[in-house]
Amino acid sequence: MHSRNVYTSLLDFEVLARSYPPLSQHLRGRTIDFHDDAAQRCLTQALLKRDFGLELQLPKDRLCPPVPNRLNYVLWIQDIVTELQRTLPIVFRGRTTCTVRGLDIGTGASAIYPLLACSLEPTWMFSATELDDLSYAHAQRNIRANRLSDRIYVVRVEADTNEDGPRFEFDRLFGGRMIERITSESGSDTPTTKDEIEIQFTMCNPPFYSSAAEITDSEARKERSPFGVCTGAPVEMITPGGEVHFVSAMVRESVYGRKEVGVNHTWDNDDDDEKMGKIRRIGKGTTLPADKQPTTSSRKFSYLGPRWYTSMLGQMGSVVEVVRVFKELGITNYAITEFVQGQTRRWAVGWCVDGWRLSDVDPCALHISILLIPVQNIARIANPNPTLQRLLPPRNTLKFDIVMGENDALGCLEKVLRSVEDATFTPDDGANPEGSLSSYVVSVTCDTWSRGARRKRKRQQEKAANGNVVSEGDCSPEFVCSIVLRSEPDRNRIQMDVQWLYGKERSLFESFASHVARKLNSDDGG
């Protein structure tokens, strides 16, 4: 369970029924019958109304989302976005944090993820896809009922597959009709900055099973009978190859389609598909008819790409298979978490094809461990079983013991950082975790501290002395990290935590962190 989940205590159904009277007719003593689909729908409606101010209508033959479990996923996304918003202004110098926009793949009849997220975060925006007509209609109705049509836009898509599995066409979803719709609603002809159309994350709760027989086998293998009734339709529960095939296709497309990201996508403004709320699916190599060719008056939008893709998984074995795909494709920047709510355990994976890194655990929640409350993990499960332990991504936080007093450490750290050429650092007082002495954010444009870098610089100086022009290179950061000093009086030493925030080359980050620790532990810290 997420540390910020409001459902950490047992639910008092009688109190809830007093705040939402329709639930009273479903009370059976001090609880409800979870095998009664009407009672389950009413419970979901009651929780959403009381705790989030949301109105929801659910069809009888579609999934009824359990609110506590869905909330876990949204809170984890909040953690991811917080990390990204902290790093964005440092990597893209001079830019403020961008408008947060997410993409929910297969939003369902409830549109539960966009609705929950937008109720928690009043500035967030969402795009969502849905291929089932009935679910699409109900999602639209629920969004309108909560007056969120200006922040959540659902697009009806058609099922599209190839030999690798479902096709998501992320570049078209991110750069096409939804973006144009959002821009037109803002009253602007064109976005003023790329920030306005960036999608920072994706969410997905994929169909878990590959066939109806697999559903039956899964239920038979469970030691306990299902806690509640499942009202999901086949379109929500079943996909060829199951959730592993579905998510693996998403992973592959995020990597293979990346070469198209960052270029301008041109879309014809006169296409009537927009009125139907549909995206035209164009296969690779397909030629558009003459009357549908982009015109010179078409708007162009640039898309920088999502920072993190994420997906829920219903079986631990699926996590094993998806991580295998990560490794097959060379993805080392990924995250694994788990959501436990009552008898239900779910997992989620996230991955990034760029350099945006996540904390191993939530740095703002570290102090709760003193109260024996589990620390919320972001990129790594805190206490995994042996199977998951082997799958976890490398740590993004390195810890070093610094043998010196508090006063000496503070001055010496700044001295060491000033000595590193092509590095800038600023105090990060607003993000100081409890118990820390100081915190800095460090941005490094290139390696200037290693022996190899010193030899390279010497060769460049010799070339410059001979009249040769030496390129200064790119001034964008190779990596960004935070450095936190913590006092450990019982051990008469300081702990230095170096957290990787941005960058693609792990060896460069680790080399820098070791360099700083080594300098601090030298006699004079210089």
Side-chain angles (χ1 to χ4, degrees):
M1 184 185 304
H2 195 286
S3 58
R4 295 197 306 278
N5 197 308
V6 296
Y7 303 111
T8 54
S9 302
L10 290 176
L11 189 61
D12 190 323
F13 291 92
E14 293 177 319
V15 172
L16 179 60
R18 285 198 290 271
S19 67
Y20 190 78
L23 184 64
S24 299
Q25 61 180 311
H26 298 289
L27 290 180
R28 300 295 180 266
R30 303 188 67 178
T31 185
I32 66 169
D33 181 3
F34 282 91
H35 290 87
D36 179 351
D37 60 324
Q40 276 206 7
R41 284 195 301 275
C42 193
L43 174 60
T44 292
Q45 292 167 328
L47 292 175
L48 289 173
K49 179 63 176 178
R50 184 191 69 175
D51 299 329
F52 303 97
L54 295 170
E55 303 276 356
L56 201 69
Q57 293 298 320
L58 295 168
K60 296 180 180 181
D61 54 350
R62 291 297 183 270
L63 280 173
C64 175
V67 177
N69 186 271
R70 299 302 191 263
L71 180 60
N72 280 328
Y73 192 178
V74 171
L75 294 174
W76 183 55
I77 290 294
Q78 270 190 319
D79 294 335
I80 292 175
V81 170
T82 298
E83 298 274 295
L84 299 180
Q85 292 288 76
R86 177 187 178 193
T87 313
L88 269 168
I90 304 167
V91 177
F92 295 119
R93 297 177 182 177
R95 279 174 40 173
T96 59
T97 53
C98 68
T99 300
V100 175
R101 193 182 307 283
L103 172 65
D104 182 20
I105 300 169
T107 198
S110 64
I112 185 70
Y113 290 130
L115 288 175
L116 272 178
C118 288
S119 70
L120 293 174
E121 295 286 352
T123 63
W124 283 18
M125 310 281 282
F126 256 89
S127 301
T129 67
E130 181 52 54
L131 56 79
D132 175 53
D133 286 330
L134 180 62
S135 295
Y136 172 75
H138 275 82
Q140 293 278 46
R141 189 176 299 119
N142 285 322
I143 291 165
R144 287 194 298 268
N146 290 283
R147 300 180 181 178
L148 287 170
S149 298
D150 59 334
R151 295 171 56 199
I152 304 172
Y153 175 53
V154 183
V155 63
R156 170 76 169 85
V157 297
E158 304 293 339
D160 192 2
T161 62
N162 58 24
E163 63 274 11
D164 292 326
R167 292 181 61 196
F168 301 94
E169 293 193 316
F170 288 128
D171 59 324
R172 298 188 184 282
L173 288 176
F174 298 162
R177 281 299 176 193
M178 285 189 285
I179 300 306
E180 187 168 318
R181 162 71 179 272
I182 292 165
T183 303
S184 65
E185 287 178 350
S186 70
S188 172
D189 288 337
T190 56
T192 56
T193 67
K194 292 179 179 179
D195 295 352
E196 293 185 33
I197 59 172
E198 285 182 22
I199 288 179
Q200 288 188 300
F201 63 88
T202 70
M203 302 181 72
C204 182
N205 187 12
F208 288 164
Y209 303 102
S210 61
S211 65
E214 185 181 356
I215 297 177
T216 303
D217 292 343
S218 175
E219 294 297 335
R221 288 195 304 269
K222 292 180 179 178
E223 295 181 1
R224 301 177 181 178
S225 59
F227 183 67
V229 65
C230 178
T231 58
V235 70
E236 300 173 292
M237 303 287 290
I238 299 171
T239 184
E243 62 181 1
V244 170
H245 198 57
F246 190 96
V247 177
S248 296
M250 197 184 305
V251 176
R252 289 191 174 90
E253 185 168 330
S254 71
V255 173
Y256 298 151
R258 191 62 182 173
K259 62 182 180 295
E260 301 176 29
V261 171
V263 301
N264 286 332
H265 296 278
T266 305
W267 300 83
D268 183 3
N269 294 336
D270 298 325
D271 194 338
D272 290 335
D273 282 356
E274 169 63 10
K275 297 176 182 177
M276 299 165 59
K278 294 185 178 181
I279 282 183
R280 193 157 29 95
R281 311 294 280 187
I282 303 174
K284 292 184 179 179
T286 301
T287 301
L288 290 174
D291 63 340
K292 293 297 183 184
Q293 291 290 337
T295 64
T296 55
S297 63
S298 297
R299 298 191 185 105
K300 293 183 178 181
F301 301 102
S302 294
Y303 162 61
L304 294 181
R307 301 310 179 201
W308 274 82
Y309 298 84
T310 73
S311 181
M312 181 96 76
L313 290 170
Q315 303 175 61
M316 188 171 68
S318 299
V319 181
V320 177
E321 296 302 319
V322 171
V323 171
R324 184 175 291 126
V325 175
F326 289 161
K327 294 181 178 180
E328 170 195 323
L329 298 175
I331 297 174
T332 58
N333 188 13
Y334 65 93
I336 300 175
T337 191
E338 64 181 350
F339 310 129
V340 182
Q341 203 79 30
Q343 297 181 21
T344 302
R345 186 180 297 266
R346 294 287 182 262
W347 296 265
V349 293
W351 67 97
C352 178
V353 296
D354 288 322
W356 306 91
R357 304 283 165 173
L358 301 179
S359 300
D360 301 328
V361 297
D362 182 358
C364 297
L366 287 174
H367 67 280
I368 1 184
S369 59
I370 301 173
L371 304 176
L372 301 181
I373 299 174
V375 171
Q376 179 57 40
N377 62 84
I378 300 180
R380 293 170 55 93
I381 297 174
N383 297 297
N385 63 35
T387 299
L388 290 176
Q389 179 68 52
R390 294 190 294 271
L391 303 176
L392 295 181
R395 294 186 182 275
N396 288 331
T397 302
L398 305 179
K399 300 180 183 293
F400 300 88
D401 285 335
I402 309 299
V403 186
M404 62 172 60
E406 293 182 12
N407 295 332
D408 294 333
L410 295 175
C412 286
L413 177 57
E414 291 198 6
K415 181 180 177 182
V416 170
L417 295 177
R418 280 195 297 268
S419 72
V420 179
E421 295 182 36
D422 295 318
T424 58
F425 66 96
T426 56
D428 194 19
D429 298 329
N432 265 0
E434 188 170 313
S436 66
L437 300 173
S438 63
S439 178
Y440 296 90
V441 172
V442 185
S443 178
V444 180
T445 57
C446 65
D447 176 5
T448 59
W449 59 87
S450 67
R451 288 182 179 180
R454 291 196 296 270
R455 287 195 294 267
K456 181 179 178 181
R457 186 166 62 249
K458 183 178 179 180
R459 290 194 299 269
Q460 288 177 336
Q461 290 171 348
E462 291 172 351
K463 288 182 180 179
N466 293 330
N468 295 322
V469 177
V470 179
S471 173
E472 294 295 330
D474 192 349
C475 64
S476 59
E478 281 289 332
F479 71 86
V480 178
C481 67
S482 67
I483 299 180
V484 179
L485 295 181
R486 303 177 190 277
S487 176
E488 296 190 340
D490 295 342
R491 302 176 64 203
N492 193 29
R493 63 184 59 196
I494 302 296
Q495 178 177 295
M496 182 178 73
D497 296 346
V498 186
Q499 182 195 331
W500 197 10
L501 302 176
Y502 175 84
K504 292 187 177 181
E505 191 176 337
R506 177 171 291 274
S507 60
L508 188 62
F509 160 69
E510 292 179 345
S511 170
F512 173 78
S514 298
H515 170 78
V516 173
R518 187 169 57 251
K519 285 290 187 180
L520 287 177
N521 278 321
S522 65
D523 291 340
D524 60 355

